[in-house]
Every structure is written in C-alpha cells, then in structure tokens.
C-alpha cells in the first residue's frame, strides 16, 4: 500500500511538472508579449484566469477569457502594472465544477497567483468560494448574478439581479402595464431572480399573474407558451438560462406569441439576436450593463473595445458579451488598486480596492459600458451603468434608456460593510422582503 | 383550466418529440444489439448539416433536410464499418497478421456503449473546434394556427405528421420488403441467416445506416426550432432511451406505443399542473413503473399475452 502511495505521488509530481511546463509554453505564446524566461517571477504580476472554453458554458466563457487576455495585453503594452509585466496563468476548466476546484487549489497553492478570475455560473462560484476563503485569495467573480454575496476576498464585479431587473422592469411596467408573467430556470439563479422580480413588482406597483420554473434540460416550450397566453400578461420577465432554453424565443415567435419580454439573461450573454433567425428576439428588452451595441465612444467608437477585441480575435460569429466587458474593466480596476497599494500583496490590494476604485477618471480609462463606474468598497460590488436594450424585428439592437444603478441590496437592505467586518455570506431576498416569499 | 385543443397539440408535440428522438436509436438497438450513446451526436450531425446547407450553400430548407439526413446516414455507414464492425482494422489485421484481430460490437451491449460514448465526446468537441460554440439558426417555417386566446406553431404540428410517416415507412421497410426479411432473419439468428445466403455484414451496415439516417432526419427536422450548439444532442438522449425501454423489443410498434403513452403522460400532467417540471417527472416515473411492471416494455407485454393465447388455443 505504501509502495503504491509513493509511486502514485511520483506520478502526480511528474504529471504536475509536465502540466506546468505545458502551461508555461501556452502562456508565453497566448499571453501576448508576456515573456517569462528572462524575468524572475517577483518581477511580474501573476493573474490566474479560469474561464470555460469548452463544455456547457463555452459560448459564454470564451469571450470572458479573450477579454481578459486583451486587457492583459493592453496593460503590458502600456508598461504593465507599476512597471511590472502581467503574467497570465490560464487553463480551461471545461465547465466542470470539480475541475474548477482542482485548478483553483493548484493556482493558489502552486502557482501563487496574485489575483484570480474564475467561473461563469453561480454554481461554480459557490463550488470554489470555500477554497478561496480558506486561502484568503483575492478573487474576481465577473458574471452578472443573483446578488447577495458579501465576502471579504471576493469581488463580484458583474451587475446583480436587482440592478439588471431593476433597470428593465420599471421601464416595461411604465410602457406596457402592471401584469407580469415570470418564467425562470429552475435552479438557484432563476429562483432568486424570480424573488427579485416579486420585490421589484411590489416596489413598482405591478402584479405577478403567473410564474413557471423550467428545468435546464427542457427545450420544448409549447405548454409554457399556452400558459402565458392563458394568463394574458402585459409583459413577461424571462430568466431562462443556457442553450436549451434559447429555443424558447424561436418557439414563441413561431407560435405567434408577441407579448413584450424583459430579461436579464438573453442577448447580452449568449447573443441570441446574432445566432437565432429573426424575428425570434423581436420585442425583447434586456436590462444589462453591457452589450456590443452599447453606444458609448469607448465601446462602439473607432478603436473602442469592440474594434480592439475583433482585431485580436477576428473569428466570425463571435460576440463581445456582457461578461467579457466585466473581465476587461475589472483587470483595469485591479491595475489601479495595485498601483495605489504599491504592492501585489493581497491584503494591501484588497484594502486599496475597498478604498473605492473608479474607472473613467483622470487616471483610469473609461469603462466601455459608460463614462464612470465605481467599485463600492463596503460591498465589493460595482455601481454599474445600466442599459435597457431592445431588439427589433430584424434583430437590430438599440439602447432605449441608460442610468447609473448602484448595488442596493447589500448596501441598503443587508448593511454589509466589509471594511468594518469580515464576512463570507450569501444573503437572499427571502430573508428581507415579505413579497419574495 | 384544461383547454382541449391545447392538450391535443401538446400531446402531438410530445409524441413527435419522443418518436423522432427514439426512432434511430430503436432501430440500431433493436436489430443490432448495439447501444448507440452517440445517438444525440448523430442528431447533432443532421442538424448541423441541414443548417449549414441552408446558411452556407443556400439550399431550400426541405432539400437541406434531405441532404442532412443522407449525410448522417453516410456518416453512420462509415462509423459502422470502422468502429462497430471493425471492418477496417480487420482488413489491416488480415493483411499483416493473417487473422481477425477485432470482433464486431454486435450484441456486445457494454462494449458498444463504451465505444459509442467515446465517439460522442469526439463528435461534440470536433463540432466545437470546426464550427465554434454555435452556428446561426434557420427560422421556423409555416407560421402558426390561432384559436381563441391561444396559438400554436404550425411547424410543430407538421412534425407530428412526419413522426407518423417515419413510423409507417419503417414498418413498411422492415416487414414488407425483402431487405426487411433479411434484417429480421439476421436479428433472429445470424448464423442461420448467413448459412441461407444472407450477407449479414451488409445487412448490419445498411441497418446502421438507416438508424443513423433517422437520427439525422430528427436533427434536420428540429434544426429550425432549436438553438444550434455542440451539445444539442443531449436533450434527445434521455427521451430516446426512455422510449426504447418503455417500448420494448418490437422496434416500430414499440416506438409508436411508447411515443403515445409517454406523450400522453407528459402532456396531461404538464397541462393539469401548469408545470413543465412535473410533466418531466411524470414521464420519468412512467418509465420507472414500466421497467418495474413491464420488464419487456409494452411490446414485451403484447408478445407475452399473444404467446399465452397461443398456448391456450394449442391446448384445445
């Protein structure tokens, strides 16, 4: 048994060495100018990027990965972080949470990354957060999500359900009327988002006339469409998720269901308006902080983010999705924080981040989603620039409204202040709002 | 709040989905004893081939569907010759070693599962590498039928018609043609069939081709209603297996009956509870009950009853 143990350990060591060697090869070709052989590791800032490039979330993860690489390349070309080059360490976790856990351990313990970007889904975040907490690792979670994570070393840079739904629901209530039908994916994200729709409906004087949770594996929506027709809502709030659920939009169009639909998930992440044949996405209103079509100078203008992205990755049929922008600007926020702290030591960088970092100021570049955005030091969330984006019959997307929406749940309702008290909790709306129950 | 027409349409929808998902799998499993875990990826092949024929080559949708099905059938024949029958390695083996190195995977359930599972992984990743994370879809044709406050996609009703046509065609091929007789002879007793002059290797190859073609047809038919990405085959696999298990050994009849039963269960429960989740649970519970009480599936029960009647009449 002990002999077996030794040989296995030798095997693992050898395999690990081979993997690290392979990775070094990868990052020096892929990382865009990050040559690692001439510089000792103390001279570089080591950023770990774990984003799905295969498996279920490849569609959403690939742009995230690419946007991180773009930001790193730009920062390196511009002289690095405080004169130090960024060395990206990346691997494909293949949309597999167990692989995420293994790679997170490896990146923290063996690669000693100075900061970690990882994960698309909330399930992934919750799978690796215990490892991150145990190691007090500085961690950026960059997907739009249900909200409520108050965690000392986690920075949730994407907008929350309250921000996304809070931008689109009031608009639809105003335009179309008070009766809402909810359809949502049947897992933690969908359930919590539906709770938020109920809270926001209450705040905006609207009623829920129907509600349905749909398993992620479902791709036939005949009965859902009939149920919506029977309830005759003024608009639908859709928090459907993933490739199977994308079929809903094609099917509701071919069934002739033309009620307006508000969403926090469609178009900005899986770019359904590019992939599906028109008019599947006609009359869909997305509440998002970013889409390729956001009409800011730093995004859609000449040499804006979209131009630079496609210059580096000219693949056809690609899309700079919501999370890509979040990966992109959060890398710049990290740069700001390190330069403010004057070190990559994680407690100091976290302290700098908590002092409140802004983009779009004199020092830092403008965020592609719009002018200035601020990191709220107390909650580790971002006061985002939020847009309501509408797709028409030909799937042209236009911006209808925009406004700054701060993260409100943790700051106002829960009272999370990570500068005062270290926590590692995820709060849910059910604990604070009667109407969410 | 059950609306009769809604229920009818949803039944037809579920029926079409179950039958089309299962048809190719049932043919390959029922006749060759090969469990094709790459069935979902054969559907993916058909869906991609059809969609690309429309978007890249500009073919009209119906033509593209035929092209998609035929390409999948051809691909199936290649898979049968190389992986399932081991024809190519055998041929190499005969040249170099002088004897058969590789046994075909016919009637080796577990082995065929492992081999085709591997194939499915290769196919999904290949689709991702070649075509990226998604391809553009083609729109759903035909518009909708409206009735009162409700409406339903006409195309989904057409699918139900096609599902029935597929069953009729399969029934005809396997029971009314010489090829069908050879297939059934091979299925019942391969050695005797071969002794009587049936080219069983060719029969297997064509059967696998037909099964693959049916999977390709399913992909082609669903291409306009689904989001095109490399894992789209997954959503068919469970329904297909459940349908084959519930249907039992008689390929065509079993698929038709299980499509009817499962479609009715799923549509009724979904309608009564207003919840797709419960419809799905009911479908799987029906499968569990079928496995528990009808180990041979619906057609197994039919055959048992028929055998018992036969005994009774023989006794007279």
């Amino acid at each position: 048994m002990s002999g077996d143990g030794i040989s296995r350990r030798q095997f693992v060591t050898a395999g690990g060495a081979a993997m690290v060697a392979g990775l070094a090869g990868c990052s020096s070709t892929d990382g865009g100018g990050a040559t690692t052989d001439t510089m000792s590791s103390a001279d570089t800032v080591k950023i770990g990027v774990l984003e799905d490039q295969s498996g279920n979330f490849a569609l959403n993860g690939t742009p995230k990965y690419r946007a991180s690489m773009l930001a790193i390349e730009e920062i390196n070309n511009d002289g690095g972080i405080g004169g130090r080059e960024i060395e990206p360490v990346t691997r494909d976790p293949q949309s597999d949470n167990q692989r995420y856990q293994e790679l997170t351990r490896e990146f923290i313990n063996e690669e000693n990354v100075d900061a970690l970007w990882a994960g698309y889904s909330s399930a992934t975040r919750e799978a690796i957060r215990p490892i991150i907490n145990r190691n007090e690792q500085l961690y950026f979670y960059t997907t739009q999500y249900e909200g409520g994570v108050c965690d000392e070393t986690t920075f949730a840079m994407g907008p929350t359900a309250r921000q996304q739904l809070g931008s689109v629901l009031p608009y639809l209530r105003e335009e179309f009327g008070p009766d809402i039908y909810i359809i949502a994916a049947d897992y933690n994200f969908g359930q919590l988002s539906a709770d938020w729709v109920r809270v926001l409906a209450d705040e905006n004087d609207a009623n829920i006339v129907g509600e349905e949770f749909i398993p992620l594996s479902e791709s036939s929506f005949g009965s859902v469409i009939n149920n919506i027709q029977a309830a005759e809502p003024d608009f639908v709030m859709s928090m459907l998720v993933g490739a199977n659920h994308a079929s809903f939009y094609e099917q509701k169009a071919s069934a002739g269901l033309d009620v307006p639909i508000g969403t926090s998930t469609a178009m900005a992440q899986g770019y359904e308006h590019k992939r599906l044949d028109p008019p599947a996405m006609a009359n869909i209103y997305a509440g998002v902080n970013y889409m390729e079509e956001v009409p800011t100078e730093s995004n859609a203008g000449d040499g804006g983010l979209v131009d630079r992205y496609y210059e580096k990755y000219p693949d056809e049929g690609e899309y700079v999705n919501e999370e890509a922008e979040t990966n992109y600007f959060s890398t710049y926020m990290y740069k700001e924080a390190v330069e403010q702290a004057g070190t990559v030591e994680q407690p100091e960088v976290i302290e700098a981040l908590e002092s409140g970092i802004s983009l779009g100021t004199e020092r830092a570049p403008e965020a592609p989603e719009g002018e200035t955005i601020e990191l709220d030091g107390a909650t580790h969330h971002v006061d985002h620039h939020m847009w309501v984006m509408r797709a028409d019959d030909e799937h042209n997307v236009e911006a209808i409204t925009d406004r700054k929406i701060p993260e409100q749940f943790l700051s106002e309702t829960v009272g999370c202040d990570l500068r005062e008290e270290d926590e590692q909790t995820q709060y849910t709306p059910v604990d604070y709002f009667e109407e969410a129950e | 709040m059950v609306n009769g027409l809604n229920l009818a349409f949803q039944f037809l929808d579920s029926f079409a989905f179950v039958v089309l998902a299962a048809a190719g799998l049932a043919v390959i499993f029922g006749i060759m004893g090969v469990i094709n875990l790459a069935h979902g990826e054969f559907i993916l092949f058909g869906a991609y081939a059809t969609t690309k024929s429309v978007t890249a080559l500009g073919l009209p949708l119906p033509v593209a569907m035929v092209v998609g099905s035929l390409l999948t059938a051809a691909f199936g024949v290649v898979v049968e010759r190389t992986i399932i029958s081991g024809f190519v390695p055998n041929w190499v083996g005969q040249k170099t070693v002088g004897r058969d190195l590789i046994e075909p995977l016919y009637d080796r359930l577990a082995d065929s599962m492992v081999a085709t599972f591997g194939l499915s992984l290769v196919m999904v990743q290949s689709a991702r590498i070649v075509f990226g994370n998604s391809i553009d879809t083609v729109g759903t044709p035909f518009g909708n039928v409206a009735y009162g406050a409700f409406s339903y996609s006409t195309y989904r009703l057409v699918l139900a018609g096609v599902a029935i046509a597929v069953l009729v065609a399969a029934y005809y091929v396997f029971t009314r043609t010489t090829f069908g007789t050879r297939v059934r002879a091979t299925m019942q007793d391969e050695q005797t069939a071969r002794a009587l002059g049936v080219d069983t290797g060719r029969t297997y190859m064509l059967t696998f081709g037909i099964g693959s073609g049916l999977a390709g047809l399913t992909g082609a038919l669903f291409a306009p209603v689904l989001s095109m990405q490399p894992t789209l085959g997954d959503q068919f696999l469970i329904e297909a297996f459940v349908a084959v298990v519930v249907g039992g050994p008689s390929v065509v009849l079993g698929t038709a009956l299980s499509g009817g039963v499962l479609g009715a269960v799923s549509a009724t429960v979904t309608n009564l509870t207003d919840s797709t989740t419960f419809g799905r649970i009911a479908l799987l519970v029906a499968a569990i009950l079928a496995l528990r009480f009808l180990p041979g599936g619906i057609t197994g029960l039919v055959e048992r009853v028929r055998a018992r009647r036969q005994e009774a009449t023989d006794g007279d």
Side-chain angles (χ1 to χ4, degrees), chain A residues 218-219 226 229 255 275 277, chain B residues 10 134 137 139-140 151 235 280:
Chain A
E218 187 61 56
S219 60
N226 282 158
Q229 288 172 328
R275 297 192 291 129
D277 207 34
Chain B
Q10 281 161 29
S134 76
T137 61
T140 316
S151 56
Q235 49 199 289
R280 216 143 228 272

Side-chain angles (χ1 to χ4, degrees), chain B residues 283-302:
Chain B
L283 189 134
L284 293 175
V285 168
I288 294 170
L289 291 176
L291 274 174
R292 183 67 191 80
F293 294 107
L294 307 172
I298 302 175
T299 55
L301 176 74
V302 171

Side-chain angles (χ1 to χ4, degrees), chain A residues 159-180:
Chain A
T160 62
R162 191 175 178 75
Q163 284 169 298
Q164 303 234 112
L165 301 169
S167 71
V168 68
L169 190 147
Y171 175 80
L172 294 173
R173 161 74 184 88
E174 203 60 38
E175 285 295 302
F176 301 107
D179 293 342
I180 307 175

Side-chain angles (χ1 to χ4, degrees), chain A residues 38-56:
Chain A
T38 53
M39 243 175 286
S40 77
S41 71
D43 292 322
T44 62
V45 179
K46 218 168 184 183
I47 286 183
V49 180
L50 290 175
E51 302 289 5
D52 303 313
Q53 291 159 75
S54 57
N56 267 339

Side-chain angles (χ1 to χ4, degrees), chain A residues 232-286:
Chain A
E232 293 181 0
D234 293 314
F235 62 98
V236 171
M237 287 302 296
S238 156
M239 278 76 64
L240 298 178
V241 174
N244 293 340
H245 284 184
S247 310
F248 166 76
Y249 299 103
E250 184 70 56
Q251 289 172 26
K252 66 98 188 149
S254 76
L257 176 73
D258 56 3
V259 60
I261 297 179
T263 179
S264 61
T265 50
M267 298 205 293
Q269 305 183 68
Y271 50 102
E272 286 81 0
H273 60 297
K274 299 272 184 190
R275 297 192 291 129
L276 303 183
D277 207 34
M281 303 306 287
N283 249 349
I284 311 276
Y285 296 78

